[in-house]
Every structure is written in structure tokens, then in C-alpha cells.
Amino acid sequence: MKPPQIPVLVIEDTPSLQFVYRSVLTAAGMVVHAAGSATEALQQFHAVRPGVVVLDLMLPDRDGLALMSELLALNPDLYVVVMSAQGSVDRAVAAMRAGAFDFLLKPFEENRFLGAVLAALEAADEDSAPPAGQPAKRRPAATGDPSASIGSSAAMKEVHRVIGSVAGSIASVFLTGESGTGKELAAIALHAQSPRARGPFIALNCGAIPHDLLESEVFGHMKGSFTGAIADKPGAAAAADGGTLFLDEICEMAPALQTKLLRFLQTSMVQPLGATRPRKVDVRIVCATNRDPLEAIRRGTFREDLYYRLHVVALHLPPLRERGRDAVEIAEVALRRFGAEEGKSFIGLAPGTQRILLEHDWPGNVRQLLNVMRNVAVMNPGGLVTPDMLPPELRIRPAARPDPAQDPLAGLTLAAIERRAIEAALARHSGSVPKAAHELDISVSTLYRRIEAWKLR
């Protein structure tokens, strides 16, 4: 089927990419115009009046978000498909909040790119000609997985599969994974593929807000409800009405607020501080933590009933060291992007460089890898990236892994290691459960349950 003949404006400052995007869309039968800067884009916009804009957020003469805001102000019915590199995911999130129809995370497959633009064209076509006597149709939800192009390892394919399976549900999703593994990106993908995609995506970092202000940030407050409350504040839960509320570092939430969050999950009612009446909101909860939530429950810092209320669907984001050649794939993509931003041309990674990237443990995960590639792009003139172009700390070979034959824990399951640790503690304290529990920093009741479970087996 021939796509609607609504003009499409592609705004991309890298000539080779602009050529590729334009060729793909033209071959699909679209009317395509292109611009390489914000200045040129505004000229084209006034000349051709596009219904769809494909916008790269990184432009040489102006911030992409500012340009998008101006274009939407000129034409509120415009459909904007945003393109973003991994290193600017936060800006892509801001674009979605500001009215972007969809966003693509570079690099992306041709079918994903074509599908996003076609969806925007079809939506623009429907809005331009609603049935007689009826209002224009509401824009459909943005579809597509913004994390789909970040690596092709089996671990990430499973992440993409789970996201695709649960995105359409209203169930709460509990994301776990080390810092820098992309938990917020996964939350964005869940939102972008859900029926709520045209609604707000509100992210709140529970660990970055002082405990005495967190309740106000989540549930809001009324003017005068406490010292400094000079105006009404809706709070994140109300702001996310009709969309998704992402609670990052959920295990850092104060116990008192956990009780109120549990009540909110049970009733969907929000009552700001100082308000006399609650109001109902429609919010999907996605939360994340880089800690072990079960350990937080054991320590008494996280409510068990809240955990099970939130833990409807679990999704673990694997660390980069467990993702095979994803480190090389991500590095190559980042190198091209950062090189273009710096006005330099890099042709790839030498075999020795790839080996170093694959052998590194990446304690900071993808975030650390991106910083390394940014360093390479800034500190070197271009060409093939050889090992000597990497930061010094990466060129130091990692310590040799312990020989399994000399490691008494090698080959043991986590349960077996736990049992060994408990039995050793009991032996050190002549079988005293309270003393062993104190040494292991667990409750006496938990230790008794472990021992009883072993007896039953």
C-alpha cells in the first residue's frame, strides 16, 4: 500500500546518514525533504509544510529539543520521530515528554526506522481528514522498542522479548540490575510500547531526593501545608495520570512513605499533603533498584508486602560483562556518534582493542563504556582505534581469574555456598544459633528457618 503523500522532513547533520534515511524513505514511496542544520530545517519547514519530521537531537547549530518545541509550536499537529544515540537517552525521554511521537535509538534497523515513519504518516493522515462531524483522532501510542538495537547477545534478546510481552499489560514491573545497565531505558521501552505511550512518562529517583521531601515529590502538597510550600504541587503520581510512573532506586524509599505507596497501589487514590480529599488516578508503576530487594527486606528497610505488590513482573538487566560481544557493538556505535560530534572520522576498532573491551569487567557497565568511547573520540584524531588510544586504566590487563581447582567455592550453587557459610558460623560458635545469626547479620528466625529447611530435605 502506498504511504500517504504527506511531506516528510528529515533533519540529520551527518551527510552519509541523511543520504541513507532519505533513500530508504524515498524508496518506500514517500515525499522526502532533508536538512542538515536547524537553520536549514526551519527554512524547509516553512517551504514544504511537512506533516512528519524525523529529527536527530544532536545538531551543529541548535539544540534538537529546542527546535522540536518551536516546530510543534508552529504546527501542533506535527508528528515528530526523534533519533537519539545511547549517550543521550535522557534527552530522548525529555523529547517524549515534550510531544515526540516516537523515538529511535541509534543504530536501528531499516525496518524499525521505516515502521516508525509510516506509523507517523498514517497518524498524520488520519488527523488531517477526520470523518464529518467528528474530532480528529487521538494519536496512537508510539510503538517500538527503543532498546532493540543495543547489542544482539542472547541476554539482551531475552530482555527485549520480556519487554515486548509485558508492555501492553497494566501489571507493575520490577527492574533489577547493576548501575549503568539501562534500567531507565527499559522502563522507557515498556512505556513506549504500551497503550499509555501518548501519556506522560514520569521518572523519580527515590535515592536522590531527601526523605523529608520525597512524600511531597511523589504525592504532592497543597500551598501552606508546610514551611516553604508556597504553591500547590501535584506530585509525580498525579502528574503520571494516564501514563507511567517510574520509581528508580525504590529500595531507598523511607519506610513511612512505603506504607503510603502500598496504599496508593491498592486504591489508586492520591492525597497531597494538606489536601482534605483524595482523587483517583490511572498510573502504571515501573520500579527499579540496583540493590538486592530480598536483602533489603531481610534487613527491615523494605516492606515485604510492598515488594510482592510491585514484583508482579520481574525483569533483570544483565551486566555488560555477561553480554558477550555487545561491548564491541556498543563501542562501535558510540565511536561513530562521538566522532561525528567531534568532527572526526573513526573507521573502527582494531582487533587488539576489541579484545581489551571484551576482557574488561566494566563495573560501570554501559555508562562506563560510553565514557571510554567519548574519551577516545575527544583525545584522538580519528582512524582505526588501537589499544594505545584507550584510557590507561583499560590497557592494564585484568588480574588472572582464580583457578577453579584452587577455589573451594568453584562449582557450588549459591544455596550450597550459603549453607557452608552458615555451618561454618555455627561451628565457630559451638552450635549457638543466636551468636551465628549475629555474626552473619541475619535474624535468628531466618537462621532457624534455613536449618529446618535442610532437615526437611
Side-chain angles (χ1 to χ4, degrees):
M1 184 177 69
K2 189 175 181 180
Q5 296 300 287
I6 296 173
V8 177
L9 175 60
V10 175
I11 307 172
E12 167 61 65
D13 63 310
T14 304
S16 59
L17 291 178
Q18 184 189 116
F19 175 79
V20 170
Y21 300 154
R22 188 170 186 169
S23 299
V24 168
L25 299 180
T26 302
M30 300 181 195
V31 179
V32 185
H33 303 267
S37 67
T39 302
E40 185 183 358
L42 282 169
Q43 294 172 350
Q44 291 270 31
F45 186 82
H46 289 293
V48 305
R49 307 302 299 176
V52 173
V53 167
V54 181
L55 172 65
D56 185 1
L57 289 181
M58 296 296 294
L59 296 174
D61 58 340
R62 191 174 177 189
D63 178 69
L65 284 177
L67 176 61
M68 186 184 81
S69 297
E70 182 173 347
L71 296 180
L72 287 171
L74 292 169
N75 179 11
D77 295 326
L78 183 69
Y79 286 75
V80 182
V81 177
V82 167
M83 299 182 292
S84 169
Q86 163 69 14
S88 53
V89 167
D90 54 339
R91 303 183 71 246
V93 176
M96 285 183 64
R97 294 175 182 168
F101 174 76
D102 198 353
F103 82 87
L104 305 171
L105 195 65
K106 293 183 176 182
F108 39 76
E109 295 181 354
E110 179 180 319
N111 289 341
R112 170 72 179 99
F113 173 67
L114 192 57
V117 179
L118 277 172
L121 274 175
E122 290 169 2
D125 187 48
E126 290 177 354
D127 276 359
S128 64
Q134 294 185 20
K137 294 184 180 179
R138 187 170 182 259
R139 295 184 182 187
T143 58
D145 180 2
S147 64
S149 299
I150 308 176
S152 56
S153 65
M156 287 308 294
K157 285 180 179 178
E158 176 62 14
V159 169
H160 302 158
R161 186 195 68 78
V162 173
I163 289 174
S165 297
V166 306
S169 169
I170 62 172
S172 299
V173 180
F174 202 106
L175 304 171
T176 57
E178 298 175 8
S179 179
T181 51
K183 295 185 291 297
E184 182 166 0
L185 185 60
I188 295 167
L190 285 162
H191 175 75
Q193 293 191 55
S194 77
R196 299 170 175 268
R198 300 311 299 164
F201 176 90
I202 304 297
L204 192 67
N205 188 322
C206 300
I209 301 171
H211 284 181
D212 56 343
L213 296 179
L214 190 53
E215 181 176 356
S216 171
E217 291 294 326
V218 177
F219 297 115
H221 64 253
M222 306 301 291
K223 180 180 179 180
S225 57
F226 57 86
T227 303
I230 59 175
D232 293 349
K233 181 183 180 71
D241 192 12
T244 302
L245 175 60
F246 175 53
L247 298 173
D248 199 5
E249 295 191 35
I250 186 70
C251 288
E252 306 303 321
M253 183 175 283
L257 188 54
Q258 292 177 31
T259 303
K260 295 188 177 183
L261 178 60
L262 180 61
R263 189 180 305 119
F264 167 63
L265 294 173
Q266 293 168 339
T267 65
S268 297
M269 303 294 287
V270 173
Q271 185 166 358
L273 290 169
T276 56
R277 293 183 180 179
R279 77 178 183 91
K280 195 174 186 67
V281 295
D282 175 23
V283 173
R284 185 193 193 175
I285 301 291
V286 178
C287 60
T289 180
N290 57 16
R291 296 173 54 187
D292 179 357
L294 296 178
E295 174 68 12
I297 292 171
R298 185 183 65 75
R299 291 180 177 272
T301 58
F302 195 68
R303 291 182 61 120
E304 188 172 15
D305 50 359
L306 176 59
Y307 169 73
Y308 286 114
R309 187 82 185 190
L310 293 169
H311 199 265
V312 179
V313 177
L315 178 57
H316 181 70
L317 278 296
L320 187 56
R321 61 182 173 276
E322 296 178 3
R323 291 173 51 182
R325 288 192 59 81
D326 282 4
V328 171
E329 293 183 26
I330 295 170
E332 289 175 337
V333 171
L335 183 66
R336 289 196 298 270
R337 180 65 183 179
F338 297 152
E341 291 176 6
E342 298 293 331
K344 302 172 183 178
S345 177
F346 291 89
I347 62 175
L349 306 173
T353 305
Q354 294 187 28
R355 184 174 62 253
I356 291 173
L357 297 183
L358 292 173
E359 290 177 350
H360 195 69
D361 279 344
W362 299 112
N365 292 294
V366 176
R367 186 180 298 125
Q368 180 189 4
L369 174 58
L370 293 173
N371 287 339
V372 167
M373 300 320 296
R374 170 75 75 178
N375 177 279
V376 169
V378 169
M379 300 299 294
N380 296 281
L384 185 68
V385 178
T386 54
D388 61 292
M389 296 165 69
L390 294 173
E393 60 269 20
L394 253 72
R395 299 199 298 269
I396 300 173
R397 293 188 63 84
R401 300 184 183 276
D403 183 355
Q406 299 177 0
D407 185 354
L409 301 181
L412 295 181
T413 64
L414 182 60
I417 294 172
E418 178 189 63
R419 180 164 182 169
R420 280 199 177 191
I422 290 174
E423 288 175 340
L426 287 168
R428 283 192 294 272
H429 295 286
S430 303
S432 171
V433 172
K435 290 181 180 180
H438 182 268
E439 177 189 323
L440 296 167
D441 193 22
I442 62 176
S443 67
V444 174
S445 60
T446 297
L447 186 48
Y448 273 120
R449 283 198 299 270
R450 293 286 194 278
I451 295 170
E452 288 301 317
W454 297 337
K455 290 178 180 177
L456 291 175
R457 292 174 192 166

